[in-house]
Amino acid sequence: MSQELEIEFKNTLTKEQYENLLISFQIPNEKIIRQTNHYFDTPNFSLKELSSGLRIRETSNKIVCTLKEKKSTNIHLETTDELTREQADLMLAGEAFLAPRVKEKLLELNIPIEKLRVFGTLTTDRVEIAYKGGILVFDHSFYLQCDDYEVEYETSNENKGKVIFLEFLQQHSITRQVADKKIARFMKALKG
């Protein structure tokens, strides 16, 4: 289990901007990692009400369950447990909740574990590169009938990170358009 503060800045991109960034940073196809996020909440969206999100994320080499709790505009507390394929399958089927630290946090938040259900899946092709003391992320996400693109900058210092991110956008002629969290974009598309 790990628990960490995530400080990130996000901006929406057009398909053309995304593709130009891949070219500018010389990203080969094998550097693009596919991840699948399965999102959970209760039928009355108890987690959403707390500005929190719960997901199981699958990549080719790892499966994790993460609870994200919003602490401020750009900061989230993440609690994560690694899962086996078997554990993930049981959780996705609603048969058990096998992420112990995440479960502990959910109970602290008074979330009824037995009512948690998967309400959707979103797939992202992701590129992560080291950039000025942080991590620059280029994402192409697809879900329901949507395709969207974003850039994120993950950092350990909110003030410095903001300056670096805004400079990055300016250098690449990208207009500032704050991107919602993936789970929020998925929910918006779901309600259609």
Side-chain angles (χ1 to χ4, degrees):
M1 190 280 296
S2 71
Q3 196 170 48
E4 63 184 16
L5 283 178
E6 177 188 61
I7 303 170
E8 70 179 4
F9 299 89
K10 296 165 140 313
N11 203 79
T12 58
L13 298 172
T14 63
K15 181 179 183 189
E16 182 181 13
Q17 289 169 330
Y18 170 83
E19 290 170 349
N20 287 340
L21 288 171
L22 294 183
I23 293 166
S24 294
F25 284 86
Q26 301 173 345
I27 305 297
N29 281 342
E30 59 271 11
K31 281 276 221 179
I32 300 173
I33 306 297
R34 178 153 292 179
Q35 60 185 34
T36 303
N37 296 314
H38 306 281
Y39 294 108
F40 292 77
D41 209 331
T42 62
N44 61 346
F45 298 104
S46 304
L47 285 164
K48 183 181 178 211
E49 289 295 315
L50 297 173
S51 298
S52 296
L54 177 65
R55 68 165 185 243
I56 288 179
R57 173 174 284 168
E58 299 181 50
T59 60
S60 60
N61 60 350
K62 188 162 47 169
I63 304 172
V64 295
C65 178
T66 300
L67 172 65
K68 282 190 174 196
E69 299 172 78
K70 187 172 186 169
K71 296 299 177 187
S72 71
T73 304
N74 300 307
I75 301 177
H76 289 80
L77 177 65
E78 290 189 348
T79 304
T80 301
D81 285 305
E82 197 162 333
L83 301 173
T84 64
R85 173 81 265 159
E86 221 176 321
Q87 289 171 321
D89 288 344
L90 286 168
M91 287 177 68
L92 291 168
E95 295 175 21
F97 196 92
L98 302 167
R101 303 309 181 282
V102 172
K103 184 176 185 176
E104 194 177 299
K105 289 293 289 179
L106 290 168
L107 291 172
E108 286 174 22
L109 295 171
N110 295 315
I111 301 298
I113 305 294
E114 71 284 354
K115 291 187 178 178
L116 289 170
R117 300 289 179 267
V118 175
F119 66 84
T121 298
L122 176 146
T123 301
T124 300
D125 285 340
R126 169 168 280 193
V127 174
E128 293 185 5
I129 53 176
Y131 184 80
K132 297 188 177 184
I135 299 171
L136 200 54
V137 179
F138 306 137
D139 280 347
H140 171 205
S141 297
F142 31 103
Y143 48 97
L144 304 173
Q145 277 70 55
C146 299
D147 265 273
D148 64 35
Y149 304 85
E150 70 181 322
V151 59
E152 296 179 11
Y153 184 61
E154 297 176 5
T155 181
S156 58
N157 182 299
E158 187 175 11
N159 294 327
K160 285 182 188 173
K162 183 176 184 178
V163 170
I164 291 168
F165 187 63
L166 293 175
E167 286 174 354
F168 167 84
L169 294 177
Q170 189 174 24
Q171 287 166 359
H172 294 276
S173 302
I174 298 169
T175 304
R176 181 79 172 119
Q177 286 185 281
V178 177
D180 287 332
K181 289 274 188 204
K182 286 176 185 65
I183 192 169
R185 298 195 314 262
F186 182 93
M187 291 298 293
K188 191 174 182 181
L190 191 62
K191 291 178 180 173

